[in-house]
Amino acid sequence: MAIWHFFRLGRGLERHGLCDLGRHMTSRRWCISAAAVVLALTTGGLPQGQGPTLVDHVNPRPRLLFAPGEYDRFAGETTGVRRSAFDRLAAEVAERGAGSWNERDLQLESQALTARVLLERGDGRGQTFLGYARRTVGRFLGRHAYVQFTDSHELVTEGARWVQAMALAHDWLYPYWTADERAAIEQWLATELTHWVDTNRLRRASASPFRNDSARGVSALVIGALTLYDVPAQSGIAQRALAYAEPYHAAILAAHTYAGLGGGMAEGTFYGNFTAFAQTLTAEALYTGAGVQGAYTRSPFYAARLRYATHAS
């Protein structure tokens, strides 16, 4: 059965233009090696939430996408070199007010980041924007991503954005949430991550490291886990989520040998952008949130992607 699965997988990669079994030996080796990476994740059963992770500590808050010392520099730059960009974002948040945006994740992330900066400036808009963020969080709390997105592919792609937004808002506004608000967000995230791990949602969506499902799902699991890591009541699921994501993350990095050396992605430029963003988000979260120094250097993909984005037309 495993051999038949391997053969079908190789033919599937050939069918989608990722390799040609009838061509020269290099192509055949490429295809077999690529298929082996996927096969390792699709047979034999993965331990769910068990095993080693890359994380052994977390940095002080705000830790997600801000390495130690970076947030203070960023906040200072919002009245300097980043002033124009920050003012445009703040104006957008103010104009939209408490209404719903089409992209609810971007809504919460924008509200949370601008609220934090303005609160610490003593700007009166900070309390208003915090109120907007509270209302948006309330909408998220009313429905879990896994309830909204019952299909596994939709959950680990579109649902991942909900998890990321709640985790970022939890971290960025941590000192400004009330104890009850923090606990509610933490419980929402913990319940979400528990469902993903216990029902094996990454595997059910697609275990292939060449698809955007795996990359986007891993980014949500890592970001959600890193904000819960030092929350005593939720540290257990944080560890489980990181352990569950790790084999998929490792397979993605291994697959870069075949699909990412030039900075391109197997799914082309459209879905490839989703995949590249998610992989970069994971690396950035590991680097800033947990001090994983090799987050960007374990693979040549990240530097290659910059060259690809700079020179591709």
Side-chain angles (χ1 to χ4, degrees):
M1 186 60 156
I3 294 174
W4 170 239
H5 179 87
F6 186 89
F7 177 78
R8 288 181 60 198
L9 180 59
R11 284 300 179 189
L13 291 171
E14 179 183 21
R15 182 167 58 253
H16 290 288
L18 298 179
C19 63
D20 184 351
L21 291 176
R23 293 183 63 194
H24 51 74
M25 184 60 69
T26 300
S27 293
R28 292 172 62 88
R29 286 174 179 163
W30 185 97
C31 183
I32 291 170
S33 298
V37 172
V38 180
L39 189 65
L41 282 174
T42 56
T43 60
L46 286 172
Q48 295 186 57
Q50 304 296 323
T53 76
L54 294 175
V55 178
D56 58 16
H57 74 283
V58 286
N59 288 327
R61 299 183 190 274
R63 69 173 67 114
L64 295 179
L65 313 189
F66 293 106
E70 282 188 345
Y71 172 76
D72 290 339
R73 185 183 68 187
F74 167 80
E77 290 174 349
T78 62
T79 58
V81 295
R82 298 181 189 270
R83 180 173 181 173
S84 177
F86 182 82
D87 286 352
R88 287 198 305 272
L89 178 59
E92 183 81 8
V93 173
E95 181 180 353
R96 292 176 178 268
S100 296
W101 301 17
N102 287 336
E103 307 290 346
R104 197 190 301 180
D105 57 312
L106 297 181
Q107 177 180 15
L108 179 55
E109 291 159 8
S110 300
Q111 292 167 341
L113 183 59
T114 53
R116 171 82 185 239
V117 172
L118 293 173
L119 284 165
E120 294 184 351
R121 278 191 201 170
D123 188 311
R125 293 175 295 169
Q127 284 295 336
T128 301
F129 287 12
L130 177 59
Y132 296 158
R134 283 186 166 126
R135 279 190 279 273
T136 305
V137 163
R139 296 188 186 109
F140 277 113
L141 292 175
R143 191 172 182 84
H144 272 285
Y146 66 82
V147 175
Q148 177 72 19
F149 305 103
T150 55
D151 175 76
S152 292
H153 167 72
E154 290 184 354
L155 177 63
V156 303
T157 54
E158 294 304 309
R161 297 170 62 181
W162 286 28
V163 175
Q164 291 161 1
M166 287 288 270
L168 291 171
H170 174 262
D171 180 60
W172 290 347
L173 284 174
Y174 192 84
Y176 297 98
W177 300 120
T178 67
D180 287 345
E181 287 169 340
R182 279 197 299 269
I185 298 170
E186 289 158 6
Q187 186 58 56
W188 188 94
L189 285 167
T191 302
E192 194 72 34
L193 297 185
T194 299
H195 174 87
W196 284 44
V197 174
D198 286 350
T199 60
N200 208 9
R201 283 306 192 111
L202 279 182
R203 170 65 186 86
R204 287 166 60 186
S206 174
S208 170
F210 301 108
R211 285 178 55 89
N212 70 99
D213 304 61
S214 186
R216 295 166 78 180
V218 165
S219 68
L221 287 161
V222 168
I223 289 175
L226 288 179
T227 201
L228 294 180
Y229 193 91
D230 55 354
V231 176
Q234 313 299 352
S235 60
I237 184 54
Q239 292 279 0
R240 291 187 64 214
L242 289 168
Y244 175 64
E246 177 53 28
Y248 295 92
H249 181 230
I252 289 168
L253 296 182
H256 285 168
T257 302
Y258 313 107
L261 288 176
M265 296 303 302
E267 288 191 288
T269 55
F270 182 70
Y271 281 101
N273 285 333
F274 290 143
T275 307
F277 176 75
Q279 292 183 36
T280 303
L281 197 59
T282 299
E284 183 70 359
L286 288 170
Y287 177 76
T288 61
V292 177
Q293 296 301 305
Y296 281 110
T297 57
R298 292 175 68 198
S299 164
F301 167 76
Y302 301 102
R305 185 68 186 181
L306 287 175
R307 291 192 295 270
Y308 178 90
T310 301
H311 299 293
S313 60

